[in-house]
């Protein structure tokens, strides 16, 4: 009885159609496809459809009502997302093809101006490159740090699992900015981390490896990547923990019973079973890291700016909305394509 | 098992634990700095160098009126946005996990997309919409922006938590004469409430701490993170550390409370629906 | 209570096809069939969770097809009980009466009374999770019965219990049904359960009601090959009608013998004209095994397996055309000649064989657990 | 499996959601305006005032004393962090012809000229500001506000070099020191283009008062670009350079005089120097935004601040040069630290020092865009 029947019902089509229609109407109103009297007309039409829907629900039997019910529950949320997620994307797309008549023209007009895109891709290629590079390295690092953490909690945590998990997550309940600033203090030239590294004479090798720059950590790529790694660590640890926790420890025993070494058991049993967590975590870390500008701003130098810094600068300081929109759009498209390719490996439901 | 392998295994085990311990230290390092410096007695504008222990900032955590005001702004925004987003998101989650209907996969995808778009894209696109439509930035725009990213988050979290919920319970209630409304409120709701509450708490935390999206849509409104961002360029009063530590303590106690409540519930109900 | 040509379709899929039968007051009525046959859908139409696509559901003469479940005076015991985990046993039981706005004092009396009927008076304050499976099952019963429904619908209520408990609960259910005297509509895929408890059984397959009758009727005189094979164990021997008249039908079996069956032992409506494809059913306990051909009809086969089962011995043999047949002989009979590989002749009393239309998919013995069917009869 | 709803419930649900959803656009456009306005101070026009200023740019007393003296309800906030950023915040409102939250803001002179050019500033009610006469003569009637009717300076200052002797171990004299290899990765520059570029260009022997095209300044941008790619420059900062200087992350950086005076009170290792090649002088100036109706309050406030007694109190705290004549005498009267400040050459520079300072001349819109773009490219944003 628990599972829904694997058959579709006819009134579904009506519900789906109505909801899609209302969603499109919402986007139309939000993105300004229609204006003035037409907007009123669209609003009236949407209202009419809603009234008809209610009327059908009341007049129609159990079946009709039941077929409409799921859409009824979805409607408010979906309409909200249509208005405040889809419509903005549309507006942004239009903006990215607009041009400004003068420097202080605050209402750029739509002119199919593709130059915004060519500028975004040429002038800001280094920033795009750095964003993906830093985000990529940070993702790998979160796996390196997060995996042992999640593993230790899931398999060694015993009854303290939840407490330990809480301990790992709790620091991230302090403000993101304050945490990043605190890293700035820790990594400062006269700060404790540099002092500690010097005390154990690691500064030489680290300089040589390019991890430290002339004995400095703050305002180097290392600091930016470190900040990204730190700030997005929980997004890796949580899905990893969820997938590791599901693994029955007896599977490891079974593998060892079947002559596998401890490392072999890990490699052949635990690791493959935890891969969905690794995939989900990677997305959850990579995406926000690629768009971040806080770490690069607080911990970086002029040579470590990421695309987020550029978008923010173009949008909020240079007021070049068309260029900022084009950059945002490129960023989103690159990430969406990456996510689509990546998501072949996992179900969307595994994401959180 | 030979002595050699068991030694190796013990070593391996110790290595994992050591790495995990170091990881935990890494996680806590900046927090220690934040907490310690809330007791610092800085000379001048900057709370960077350790100067001496004092309790005075704790005695008067609200000494910085602008900071306190910003914290209030953030709390208010988070409260309103979380309530709205929790309702919208939970409805979606209930609909998705309870019904099978045409377009369900589409809705699932639609929900995930906002979660996979970088914050800067969400923030700047929404700001573009507001500018384009001539909407003034302020409370409303920030709340709208927050609800936007929270809805997806709540929907996905609640959906995960109520996956496996036994919807026959609702049938049973109606079979026993309960109206569908009553069946929902007296049976389903109390059982999925922990899941919803957890999602609401998390999205509240997300809202309070959101910087990037808010930065684009706040206009001249200052939320707590925006205030910190402003302060970071001029002077960072120790009260920031005090308030951050207080927020931390509140969330820790909320989590502890949640854990304790959850444990008691599990013991009493056995079956966990949430 | 009646289903009047009730049909339920989901899209192109017909879950229930023209269900048309009545259930009388005080009757223990079972819906029996393999999973997916539509029996649960019928139950849901009666409870109100589903509406017939065409046809009607009548309770006490009123058409309730469109009445929602909370307004129907029937209650359900769900498969996994669906007890409310956040409520005590007493609150679970009181849930129905409270919905009907019955004064709290009376609710308390009723709950106490009903809990004592199901012998759970001492467990009123516990949570469902603190009870055993059997106790949970009785709470579910009490929770439904406390509403004094005109009929109780039970959806595979015993499926979650282990064998011993299931048998105990069968007796308990029957006792309670006799005590409260209302109609029980019992959905099960376990024929043993149905045969044990029911006054009447509706056997269903692929959305259709194949036969409705008392346990003896459907066991002895199955209407279709499906019923014959599904209820109890049967040896289904395909053959062709050699000749037939008013008195008897002669069938030549694929296994290589000719059988004479009295006219009274032909399924209603079966085509027994000469040349028609028919199946002769003989229950394993009706076979008489002997080392040499006895008088009367018999089929020759060779023993493949002898299983001693205490009270009886189960004999598996293979006929000339390769079909496997089974027989059950008394445990104290002399079976020394039955060694694997030995030839054996199966004979029967003249009125034992039974003729059905059509050929089975697999000739020979159906694999249902024989002992339990026997015990039920 | 699906559960039916009854009619009433269905009605309520669908109806509420429908109405809720439909009204969002209405709410969206309706409450936007009212809602930001509600954040400003209430009260009748003329009796309330909202001044948005740079952080740490006033002592705490002045606002309280002003409110007590006049009965005007004043809101004073410090969210003006960056000229460009603040411009971005208010432009959607002002460009539409709406009112921004504050009545008064204190942009730097070149940004103030942009507000005036765009028509987003109102003429000050000078007839009600008798103390305007106290304005230092050298600040009167700037090129972009020839009649001096749109702006009255808040504070003026010098951009020069600040350094931490603990890190440098030596005295810093001029711009060449900022590009010295020994300080690689230890040098800070300001995100304020005119100050950073001004010093660099003056270091290259240019006169920034006469520069009007990008080409004339290109050499400075090349110099900065090279320093950046060499890793000489650690970061571009706003006011937070003080943080890095104090913590020793910067050996030296481009800095503003008043900040360093304040900072060196707590940390004597921090020094400020006007480069041998010369420093820039700049001023932040109060402008009255369009749409504000509080003309009385604006007049009273400016008049209050231009009273040398009040101006001296502010100066004693912020340690910048006051635009108000007669402040030095008032400082001496105050005695103590304030009197000490009165002797500071950074607050009251002598003629020789003043002659080493230059102020950027006006740039056309297109040329300014080129400067900003080139600078943004180097700062990496």
């Amino acid at each position: 009885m628990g599972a829904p029947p694997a058959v579709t019902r006819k009134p579904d089509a009506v519900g789906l159609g109505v909801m899609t229609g209302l969603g499109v109407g919402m986007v139309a109103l939000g993105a300004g496809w229609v204006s003035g009297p037409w907007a009123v007309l669209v609003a009236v039409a949407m209202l009419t459809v809603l009234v008809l829907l209610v009327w059908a629900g009341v007049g129609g039997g159990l079946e009709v009502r039941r077929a409409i019910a799921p859409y009824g529950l979805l409607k408010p949320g979906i309409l909200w997302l249509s208005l405040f997620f889809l419509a903005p994307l549309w507006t942004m797309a239009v903006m990215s093809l607009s041009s400004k008549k003068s420097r202080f023209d605050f209402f750029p007009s739509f002119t199919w101006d593709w130059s915004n895109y060519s500028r975004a891709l040429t002038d800001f290629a280094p920033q795009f490159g750095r964003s993906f590079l830093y985000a990529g390295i940070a993702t790998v690092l979160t796996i390196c740090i997060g995996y042992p953490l999640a593993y230790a909690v899931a398999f060694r945590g015993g009854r303290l699992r939840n407490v330990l998990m809480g301990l790992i997550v709790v620091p991230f309940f302090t403000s993101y900015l304050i945490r990043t600033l605190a890293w700035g203090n820790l990594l400062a030239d006269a700060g404790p981390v540099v002092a500690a590294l010097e005390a154990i004479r690691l500064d030489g090798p680290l300089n040589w490896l390019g991890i430290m720059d002339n004995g400095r950590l703050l305002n180097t790529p290392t600091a930016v990547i470190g900040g990204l790694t730190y700030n997005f660590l929980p997004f890796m640890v949580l899905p990893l923990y969820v997938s590791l926790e599901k693994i029955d420890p007896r599977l490891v025993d079974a593998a060892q019973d079947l002559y596998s070494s401890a490392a072999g058991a890990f490699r052949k049993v635990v690791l493959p079973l935890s891969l969905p967590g690794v995939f989900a975590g990677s997305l959850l870390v990579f995406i926000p890291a690629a768009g971040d500008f806080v770490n690069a701003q607080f911990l970086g130098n002029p040579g470590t700016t990421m695309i987020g810094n550029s978008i923010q600068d173009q949008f909020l300081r240079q007021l070049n909305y068309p260029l900022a929109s084009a950059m945002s759009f490129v960023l989103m498209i690159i990430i969406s394509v990456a996510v689509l390719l990546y998501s072949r490996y996992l179900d969307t439901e595994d994401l959180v | 098992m030979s002595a050699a392998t068991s030694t190796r295994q013990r070593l391996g085990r110790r290595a994992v634990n050591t790495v995990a311990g170091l990881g935990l230290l890494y996680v806590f390092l900046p927090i220690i700095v934040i907490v310690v410096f809330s007791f610092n007695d800085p000379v001048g504008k900057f709370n960077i160098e350790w100067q001496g222990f004092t309790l005075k900032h704790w005695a008067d955590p609200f000494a910085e009126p602008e900071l306190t005001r910003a914290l209030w702004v953030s709390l208010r925004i988070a409260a309103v946005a979380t309530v709205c987003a929790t309702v919208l998101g939970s409805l979606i989650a209930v609909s998705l996990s309870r019904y099978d209907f045409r377009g369900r996969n589409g809705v699932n995808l639609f929900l995930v997309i906002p979660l996979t778009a970088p914050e800067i894209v969400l923030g700047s696109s929404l700001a573009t919409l507001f500018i384009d439509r001539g909407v003034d930035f302020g409370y409303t725009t920030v709340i709208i922006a927050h609800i936007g990213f929270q809805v997806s988050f709540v929907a996905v979290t609640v959906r995960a938590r109520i996956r496996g919920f036994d919807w026959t319970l609702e049938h049973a209630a109606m079979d026993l004469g309960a109206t569908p409304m009553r069946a929902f409120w007296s049976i389903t709701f109390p059982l999925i409430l922990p899941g919803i509450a957890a999602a609401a708490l998390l999205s509240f935390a997300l809202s309070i701490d959101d910087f990037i999206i808010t930065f684009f849509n706040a206009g001249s409104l200052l939320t707590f993170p925006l205030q910190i961002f402003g302060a970071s360029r001029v002077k960072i009063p120790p009260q920031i550390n005090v308030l951050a530590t207080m927020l931390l303590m509140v969330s820790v106690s909320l989590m502890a409370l949640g854990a304790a409540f959850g444990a008691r519930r599990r013991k009493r109900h056995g079956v966990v629906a949430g | 209570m009646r289903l009047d040509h009730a049909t339920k379709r989901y899209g192109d899929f017909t879950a229930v096809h023209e269900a048309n039968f009545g259930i009388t007051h005080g009757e223990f009525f079972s819906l029996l069939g393999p999973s997916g046959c539509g029996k649960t859908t019928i139950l849901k139409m009666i409870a109100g969770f589903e509406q017939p696509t065409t046809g009607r559901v009548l309770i006490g003469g009123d058409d309730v097809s469109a009445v929602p479940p909370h307004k129907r005076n029937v209650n359900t015991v769900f498969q996994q009980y669906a007890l409310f985990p956040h409520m005590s046993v007493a609150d679970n039981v009181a849930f129905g009466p409270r919905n009907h706005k019955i004064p709290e004092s009376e609710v308390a009396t009723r709950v106490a009374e009903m809990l004592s009927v199901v012998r759970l008076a001492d467990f009123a304050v516990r949570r469902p999770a603190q009870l055993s499976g059997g106790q949970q099952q009785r709470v579910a019963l009490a929770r439904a019965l406390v509403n004094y429904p005109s009929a109780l619908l039970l959806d595979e209520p015993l499926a979650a219990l282990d064998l011993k408990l299931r048998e105990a609960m069968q007796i308990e259910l029957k006792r309670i049904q006799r005590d409260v005297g209302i109609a029980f509509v019992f959905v099960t895929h376990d024929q043993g359960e149905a045969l044990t408890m029911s006054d009447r059984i509706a056997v269903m397959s692929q959305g259709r009601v194949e036969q409705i009758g008392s346990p003896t009727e459907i066991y002895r005189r199955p209407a279709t090959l499906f019923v014959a094979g599904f209820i109890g164990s049967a040896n289904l021997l395909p053959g062709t009608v050699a000749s037939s008249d008013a008195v008897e039908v002669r069938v030549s079996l694929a296994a290589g013998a000719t059988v004479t069956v009295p006219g009274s032992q032909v399924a209603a409506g079966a085509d027994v004209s000469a040349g028609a494809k028919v199946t002769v059913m003989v229950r394993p306990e009706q076979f008489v095994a002997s080392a040499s051909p006895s008088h009367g009809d018999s089929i020759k086969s060779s023993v493949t397996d002898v299983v001693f089962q205490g009270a009886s011995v189960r004999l598996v043999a293979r006929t000339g055309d390769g079909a496997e047949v089974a027989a059950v002989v008394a445990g104290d009979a002399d079976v020394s000649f039955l060694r694997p590989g030995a030839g054996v002749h199966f004979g029967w009393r003249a009125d034992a064989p039974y003729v059905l239309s059509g050929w089975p998919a697999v000739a020979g013995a159906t694999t249902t657990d024989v002992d339990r069917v026997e015990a039920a009869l | 499996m699906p559960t039916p709803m009854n009619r009433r419930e269905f009605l309520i649900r669908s109806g509420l959601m429908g109405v809720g959803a439909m009204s969002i656009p209405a709410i969206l456009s309706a409450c936007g305006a009212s809602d930001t306005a509600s954040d400003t101070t209430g009260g009748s026009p003329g009796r309330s005032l909202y001044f948005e200023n740079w952080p740490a740019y006033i002592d705490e007393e002045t606002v309280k004393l002003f409110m007590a003296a006049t009965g005007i309800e004043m809101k004073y906030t410090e969210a003006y962090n960056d000229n460009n950023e603040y411009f971005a915040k208010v432009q959607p409102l002002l460009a539409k012809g709406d009112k921004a939250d504050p009545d008064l803001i204190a942009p730097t002179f070149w940004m103030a000229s942009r507000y005036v050019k765009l028509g987003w500033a109102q003429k000050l009610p000078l007839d009600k500001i008798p103390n305007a006469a106290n304005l230092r003569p050298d600040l009167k009637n700037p090129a972009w506000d020839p009649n001096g009717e749109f702006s009255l300076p808040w504070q003026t200052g010098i951009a020069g070099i600040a350094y931490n002797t603990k890190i440098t171990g030596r005295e810093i004299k001029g711009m060449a020191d900022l590009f010295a290899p020994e300080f690689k990765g230890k040098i800070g520059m300001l995100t304020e283009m005119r100050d950073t570029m001004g010093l660099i260009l003056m270091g290259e022997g240019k006169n920034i008062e006469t520069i009007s095209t990008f080409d004339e300044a290109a050499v400075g941008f090349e110099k900065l670009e090279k320093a950046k790619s060499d890793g000489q420059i650690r970061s571009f900062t706003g006011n937070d350079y003080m943080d890095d200087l104090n913590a020793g992350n910067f050996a030296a950086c481009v800095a503003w005089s008043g900040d360093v005076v304040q900072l060196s009170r707590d940390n004597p290792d921090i020094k400020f120097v006007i480069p041998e090649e010369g420093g820039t002088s700049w001023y932040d100036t109060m402008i009255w935004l369009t749409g504000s109706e509080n003309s009385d309050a604006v007049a009273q406030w400016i008049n209050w601040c231009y009273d040398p007694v009040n101006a001296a109190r502010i100066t004693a705290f912020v340690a910048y040069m006051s635009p108000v004549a007669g402040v030095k005498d008032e400082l001496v009267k105050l005695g103590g630290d304030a009197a000490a400040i009165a002797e500071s050459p950074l607050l009251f520079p002598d003629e020789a020092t003043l002659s080493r300072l230059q102020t950027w001349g006006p740039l056309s819109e297109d040329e300014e865009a080129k400067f900003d773009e080139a600078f943004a490219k180097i700062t990496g944003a």
Side-chain angles (χ1 to χ4, degrees), chain C residues 15 23 28 66 68 139 146 174-175 179 195 270 276 287 289 293 320 337 340 351 358 360 367:
Chain C
I23 297 163
F28 199 115
V139 176
V146 76
K174 191 72 189 162
R175 173 185 72 81
D179 287 356
L195 294 171
F287 270 148
F337 66 94
D351 62 349
T367 50

Side-chain angles (χ1 to χ4, degrees), chain D residues 74-95:
Chain D
M74 177 158 183
K75 181 174 172 183
Y76 182 93
T77 55
E78 304 191 330
Y80 198 104
N81 275 318
D82 178 299
N83 281 311
N84 285 311
E85 236 171 71
Y86 199 81
F87 182 74
K89 273 187 193 173
V90 290
Q91 70 74 17
L93 291 164
L94 295 171

Side-chain angles (χ1 to χ4, degrees), chain A residues 177 181 297-298, chain B residues 46 66-67 211 215 222-237 240, chain D residues 54-56 78-82 85 89 238-240:
Chain A
L177 294 174
L181 287 169
Q297 170 142 356
F298 286 162
Chain B
F46 297 100
E66 297 210 7
L67 198 59
F211 173 67
F215 196 44
L222 286 177
T223 63
F224 192 57
L226 292 181
Q227 181 74 39
I228 294 170
F229 184 71
S232 76
R233 307 196 206 170
V234 195
K235 62 165 190 171
I236 304 177
I240 283 188
Chain D
W54 297 77
E78 304 191 330
Y80 198 104
N81 275 318
D82 178 299
E85 236 171 71
K89 273 187 193 173
N239 276 89
D240 42 336

Side-chain angles (χ1 to χ4, degrees), chain D residues 15 30 43 61 67 132 225 241 254 264 302 315 322 331 381:
Chain D
E61 276 307 298
M67 291 203 289
E225 169 63 46
Y241 69 85
V254 178
S264 55
I302 297 178
T315 302
S322 179
L331 282 172

Side-chain angles (χ1 to χ4, degrees), chain D residues 122-141:
Chain D
Q122 306 189 53
K123 283 185 186 168
L124 295 171
L126 285 172
D127 51 329
K128 288 182 280 182
I129 313 177
N131 285 342
N134 296 335
L135 176 64
R136 257 166 45 199
D138 58 313
L139 292 170
K140 276 184 178 152
N141 306 341

Side-chain angles (χ1 to χ4, degrees), chain A residues 125-193:
Chain A
Q127 277 85 355
F128 273 114
R130 271 197 289 269
S131 286
F132 295 122
L133 178 69
Y134 291 176
I137 299 176
T139 308
V140 173
L141 287 176
T142 53
I143 297 176
C144 295
I145 298 168
Y147 206 105
L149 266 180
Y151 182 88
V153 174
F155 286 95
R156 311 271 158 75
R159 306 178 67 197
L160 287 175
R161 278 175 171 196
N162 287 334
V163 176
L164 284 172
M165 222 36 220
L167 266 182
I168 292 173
V169 179
V170 142
F172 298 93
F173 280 86
T174 44
S175 170
Y176 174 44
L177 294 174
I178 299 180
R179 277 192 324 257
T180 314
L181 287 169
W183 269 115
N185 291 354
L186 280 167
L187 298 179
D189 292 7
V193 175

